[in-house]
Amino acid sequence: MTSSPTATETTTAAAPHPLDPLTAAEIEAARSALDAEGKVTASTRFPLVLPDEPDRHAVLAHRPGDPVSRRVRATLLDTATGRSAEALVDVTDPAAAVVLSHRDLDPAADGQPPVLFEEYETCDEIVKADAGWRKAMAERGVTDLSLVIAAPLAAGNFGIAAEAGRRMLRSLTFLRCNESDNPFAHPVGGLVADVDLTARRVVRLIDTGAVPVPAECGRYDAESTGPARTDLRPLEITQPEGPSFSLDGSQLSWQNWRLRLDFNAREGLVLHQITHRDGDRDRPVLHRASIAEMAVPYAEPDPARNWVCYLDSGEYLLGRNANALQLGCDCLGEITYVDAVLADDHGNPETLHNAICIHEEDIGLLWKHTNIFDGLAADSRRARRLVISYIATLGNYDYGFYWYLHQDGTIAFEAKATGLLQTSAAEPGAGSPYATEVAPGLLAPFHQHLFCARLDVTVDGPGNTVQEVDVVRLPTGPGNPNGNAFTTKATPVADSGEAGRVADPSVGRRWRIVNPGAANRMGAPVAYTLVPDSGPLLLSQPGSSVAERVAYATKHLWVTRYRPERRYPDGDYPNQQAGGPGVTAWSQPGESLEDTDLTVWHSFGPTHLPRLEDWPVMPVDVCGFSLRPTGFFDRNPALDLPKEAGGGSGGHCHA
């Protein structure tokens, strides 16, 4: 991981650290070691190459200069046979890398590896060569295939016997008016091709009957949308003395915050070892933070669409689909970009330029008081936050992922969904109870975006307990004569069997992560509070295929004992998995969750009922959560901001 040439501060070569991102040399070494062991042939592909992160206690024990062990977890797929395997390679010395283990994956038990980039093109070729599909298209009046897009999607698992053990994709079809047209304006209704990628053939064609292909174009480029507004004046954001953060290798420092950056193919951006300086101590808050999964289930019951549910991390890979960010477009101000090094389909390193954006932004008032007893004297400070972000494009949708560090000790996350709506076709004006008609005959189905944050908590140390905190109204009586009293009720999430929790905004429910072994000056345990996004949970019926595969989204919160192998809320290989692995498997009764190493999993996200205003390209839809210090500090930690004149954080007003 390196800063781009446009970085606004220098990056020095840091000593190796156990959590450093994989380097190109390490990726090359892993592939070479597997090749030397005879595990790589001409048809071998690498759907996943990830760092094998060390146990957090080993990381905690690491001191600068200590030897660092480096390992790579690689998933291999033989495209000729469909067989897959998982290998662990020691690349501590890239010149002498060693394969530590290699095991075959069982598609029935393990699931399939993620979708390869090259399989999109493979699927398009297979579909367009199929005689049945070509006949169905001809019956719809389409014989010129030059502007046709066969859009492959993950197949899921619906217990279809003929698909067992096969590597599958399901393909929808879209048309374009020309090569730059928006294909989602012209879905071909009622037609799905189920593709066996290994056999390279369509194994089933679903054709529920032709409906008119929507004719209206959905272009959103400047040439198609009319004259641009002329009443906007330039807006410039400058920091003449440069930004206030520094980046030393993968270690990022800003204000009192310290953390390590990582970026992997599956989760994208990962933040490690987040600490806050308090006096002379760097106090830990999170060992690891990432968005570990994102499911997008759709609501249409039609046979041609009732299978659609994306798992954008586990099936498609958030990190590999990251954008190369551009100044003035994706990021504004004094920006530092960071490159990421991942592996391509062949297991060779590739650099994603400008994958991560780091910058500061003013966010308004941090604190203020006007003293009415002192001639209306006013003290105030403006707030700024550090933003660490990246953007990934997954088919029709674009997602911005933003981690925020605040000067008052808050950590927050936002996901911003934009891009193009997934669409289907209907008779113009017919409408649908499961979709919004956004143009004549063009339906945008109802769907959900269900993220899952993985938070390896370490609030002032590893011994943590999660408490569910509700606001409770007290009954009117002798102790509450006017009926105005309310208090809080804190219930420990003590056992893994009760670890799945549901948000309840009617009682202000939140989850407080306390350290029973560390007290603040008032004698209470120090804590951070997860303030959740409390939108609807998964709306698919219990027992359905989607509910089995996206079980993490049936609760807003899961608490599990930390284990290094517990990486993802839906298991290591959710592609074509029937469900079972993940947080539900780890949430069986009998495992204590008090005063111990914990991982907190927060499920959140919008239920999207598309609007006409979301077409042809949608404004960002924002969701997220925050972690707020709750007795972690002994007073407001932002009292020491300077009384600087002018804008930005530290701006001081005195009337």
Side-chain angles (χ1 to χ4, degrees):
M1 180 177 291
T2 59
S3 293
S4 69
T6 57
T8 54
E9 75 289 310
T10 59
T11 299
T12 62
H17 188 275
L19 295 175
D20 280 345
L22 289 180
T23 65
E26 290 170 335
I27 293 171
E28 288 174 340
R31 190 190 192 286
S32 296
L34 288 163
D35 193 8
E37 291 280 332
K39 305 300 184 184
V40 180
T41 69
S43 57
T44 299
R45 299 294 183 268
F46 290 76
L48 268 180
V49 176
L50 298 171
D52 185 61
E53 295 177 13
D55 179 270
R56 71 192 226 175
H57 295 287
V59 174
L60 188 64
H62 175 79
R63 296 294 179 268
D66 286 353
V68 175
S69 176
R70 302 282 287 168
R71 302 195 304 184
V72 173
R73 281 192 299 116
T75 304
L76 293 77
L77 172 68
D78 187 337
T79 58
T81 65
R83 297 191 184 96
S84 56
E86 183 180 75
L88 186 64
V89 185
D90 188 314
V91 295
T92 303
D93 179 0
V98 178
V99 177
L100 301 176
S101 65
H102 181 279
R103 73 177 183 97
D104 292 332
L105 297 176
D106 178 358
D110 295 306
Q112 288 278 352
V115 181
L116 297 164
F117 275 25
E118 70 179 45
E119 288 177 325
Y120 299 120
E121 184 175 345
T122 299
C123 186
D124 181 86
E125 294 171 355
I126 294 169
V127 171
K128 289 180 179 177
D130 182 73
W133 179 86
R134 295 172 72 94
K135 178 175 181 292
M137 292 294 287
E139 290 172 350
R140 288 163 167 81
V142 180
T143 55
D144 179 3
L145 304 183
S146 61
L147 295 175
V148 172
I149 293 178
L153 302 174
N157 188 316
F158 295 88
I160 300 171
E163 295 180 0
R166 287 179 163 175
R167 186 164 174 83
M168 300 288 299
L169 287 174
R170 304 193 202 282
S171 179
L172 301 174
T173 302
F174 299 88
L175 306 182
R176 293 176 293 173
C177 297
N178 54 49
E179 290 186 354
S180 63
D181 186 28
N182 173 5
F184 296 98
H186 316 288
V188 176
L191 185 62
V192 180
D194 293 351
V195 175
D196 182 329
L197 290 163
T198 308
R200 297 183 65 89
R201 67 185 183 90
V202 174
V203 295
R204 184 176 66 156
L205 196 67
I206 299 174
D207 188 351
T208 61
V211 295
V213 176
E216 185 178 290
C217 287
R219 300 181 67 98
Y220 50 90
D221 54 288
E223 292 75 15
S224 304
T225 55
R229 303 179 189 187
T230 59
D231 56 351
L232 284 175
R233 300 290 187 264
L235 174 63
E236 296 183 359
I237 300 172
T238 62
Q239 291 180 274
E241 298 179 17
S244 304
F245 59 84
S246 62
L247 189 60
D248 184 8
S250 65
Q251 183 167 284
L252 177 63
S253 302
W254 178 76
Q255 301 280 283
N256 291 316
W257 291 105
R258 303 288 184 274
L259 62 93
R260 288 188 174 274
L261 294 175
D262 193 7
F263 195 95
N264 69 53
R266 180 162 176 166
E267 298 160 285
L269 181 62
V270 179
L271 308 182
H272 290 289
Q273 292 191 308
I274 303 176
T275 66
H276 193 282
R277 188 77 172 175
D278 185 14
D280 61 354
R281 290 195 300 146
D282 287 317
R283 301 174 65 189
V285 180
L286 291 171
H287 174 71
R288 190 185 196 277
S290 72
I291 300 302
E293 191 53 274
M294 173 177 55
V296 190
Y298 280 72
E300 284 186 308
D302 182 271
R305 293 277 180 156
N306 62 10
W307 50 272
V308 179
C309 176
Y310 314 124
L311 292 169
D312 282 323
S313 177
E315 292 175 338
Y316 298 107
L317 306 182
L318 293 176
R320 279 211 67 195
N321 285 279
N323 293 185
L325 302 175
Q326 301 180 55
L327 184 64
C329 302
D330 305 305
C331 311
L332 187 63
E334 295 288 337
I335 303 299
T336 291
Y337 292 111
V338 179
D339 299 339
V341 179
L342 304 178
D344 64 14
D345 283 353
H346 292 265
N348 298 312
E350 62 176 358
T351 298
L352 300 181
H353 295 289
N354 293 4
I356 304 171
C357 169
I358 307 171
H359 71 286
E360 297 170 280
E361 59 186 21
D362 180 278
I363 56 169
L365 197 64
L366 175 58
W367 59 260
K368 175 174 181 169
H369 181 63
T370 300
N371 191 341
I372 62 174
F373 303 108
D374 186 22
L376 299 181
D379 258 322
S380 69
R381 301 291 189 277
R382 289 194 65 79
R384 73 173 70 172
R385 65 187 177 191
L386 185 69
V387 185
I388 311 166
S389 65
Y390 81 104
I391 297 173
T393 299
L394 285 305
N396 53 299
Y397 264 106
D398 300 79
Y399 296 94
F401 299 89
Y402 298 82
W403 289 95
Y404 301 123
L405 300 179
H406 293 259
Q407 291 164 312
D408 67 353
T410 296
I411 302 169
F413 173 81
E414 282 186 339
K416 299 180 181 180
T418 180
L420 310 181
L421 297 168
Q422 177 66 271
T423 56
S424 58
E427 292 285 346
S432 168
Y434 315 106
T436 302
E437 190 170 9
V438 295
L442 185 68
L443 301 180
F446 302 158
H447 58 281
Q448 296 182 280
H449 301 261
L450 298 168
F451 302 88
C452 187
R454 170 187 165 184
L455 306 170
D456 290 353
V457 297
T458 178
V459 176
D460 235 7
N464 291 172
T465 301
V466 174
Q467 299 173 344
E468 186 168 272
V469 181
D470 291 349
V471 178
V472 179
R473 292 185 292 184
L474 298 180
T476 302
N480 183 25
N482 288 338
N484 63 301
F486 62 89
T487 186
T488 61
K489 177 184 178 183
T491 305
V493 182
D495 185 89
S496 54
E498 56 193 38
R501 315 301 297 177
V502 176
D504 185 352
S506 71
V507 295
R509 182 167 294 164
R510 57 200 61 201
W511 292 285
R512 189 165 60 204
I513 304 153
V514 305
N515 185 329
N520 55 37
R521 69 176 183 140
M522 305 310 296
V526 299
Y528 259 75
T529 295
L530 172 61
V531 182
D533 180 314
S534 56
L537 290 163
L538 180 69
L539 294 171
S540 301
Q541 283 289 343
S544 66
S545 170
V546 170
E548 294 296 315
R549 301 182 66 236
V550 192
Y552 73 82
T554 60
K555 304 289 184 183
H556 289 107
L557 187 90
W558 300 88
V559 184
T560 64
R561 286 281 286 269
Y562 165 79
R563 298 280 188 271
E565 68 276 10
R566 294 177 174 178
R567 305 179 186 98
Y568 313 109
D570 49 356
D572 286 352
Y573 297 104
N575 187 20
Q576 293 183 240
Q577 239 285 344
V583 290
T584 53
W586 308 327
S587 298
Q588 304 305 312
E591 193 170 49
S592 173
L593 300 177
E594 294 188 280
D595 194 11
T596 189
D597 294 346
L598 297 177
T599 298
V600 171
W601 311 82
H602 177 36
S603 307
F604 64 97
T607 295
H608 190 181
L609 309 178
R611 312 165 297 154
L612 270 66
E613 292 85 353
D614 290 333
W615 183 256
V617 61
M618 63 176 283
V620 294
D621 192 4
V622 181
C623 63
F625 64 91
S626 64
L627 283 162
R628 305 194 67 188
T630 311
F632 187 83
F633 303 104
D634 286 338
R635 63 176 190 166
N636 181 349
L639 292 175
D640 60 348
L641 290 176
K643 297 180 179 181
E644 298 174 2
S649 177
H652 176 69
C653 300
H654 186 81

